[in-house]
Amino acid sequence: MPQTAKYDIFLDGSCSFCRWSQAKIEPYDSGERVRFLDYNDPAVAALAPFPRGELDGEMHMRTPEGKWLRGFEAWLVLLRVLPKLAWLGRIASVPPVRWLGPSVYGFIARHRYSLPGAPARCDTDSCAPPARRPQ
């Protein structure tokens, strides 16, 4: 059987919220259609046509066709790709949820460490991103 194409999620592997989100999503990926890539790895960062600051600000996804999505749009596609969460993706795609989605996503992205149940910000050297190379 041929391998199913992957949806690549670019995340900060040193971000406790990103790792927490990945751990919450992976159990729903029964078809192994999603691949999480840590953009702290220079080889992974080179795959993304965005600067680090943009990658840090919101989730970025590359579809199997090579299309780039970010933020709420990426979450909609991610939910639809996961069989057990596809229903939630359909609900989030219709008005008024669809209209409010980008604003809600932006709020969550800005306040991700203070949300109930979210992990605390990782401020220790053990989880700090690697030193950036000069540009």
Side-chain angles (χ1 to χ4, degrees):
M1 173 180 265
Q3 183 178 3
T4 306
K6 301 285 186 183
Y7 289 80
D8 292 330
I9 305 294
F10 287 70
L11 59 81
D12 180 351
S14 65
C15 166
S16 57
F17 186 84
C18 296
R19 291 190 317 266
W20 176 78
S21 297
Q22 177 181 351
K24 296 292 185 189
I25 293 166
E26 283 179 328
Y28 292 99
D29 188 17
S30 59
E32 297 181 8
R33 302 206 52 213
V34 179
R35 177 174 42 206
F36 292 90
L37 303 172
D38 181 359
Y39 59 77
N40 290 308
D41 177 339
V44 171
L47 299 172
F50 307 102
R52 171 72 187 236
E54 283 186 45
L55 292 170
D56 284 341
E58 61 187 341
M59 183 176 87
H60 285 68
M61 169 192 279
R62 183 177 59 191
T63 68
E65 301 80 27
K67 182 178 179 181
W68 285 92
L69 303 168
R70 61 174 112 189
F72 183 70
E73 295 299 323
W75 270 102
L76 281 179
V77 170
L78 177 62
L79 291 172
R80 290 179 188 160
V81 166
L82 303 172
K84 291 182 180 179
L85 296 179
W87 64 272
L88 188 55
R90 287 190 296 276
I91 289 171
S93 297
V94 297
V97 179
R98 175 72 183 94
W99 300 329
L100 298 172
S103 295
V104 171
Y105 177 88
F107 177 85
I108 291 170
R110 287 187 305 277
H111 299 92
R112 60 185 167 250
Y113 295 110
S114 59
L115 297 172
R121 179 183 301 272
C122 186
D123 290 326
T124 66
D125 290 339
S126 65
C127 59
R132 295 184 191 172
R133 294 182 300 166
Q135 295 185 11

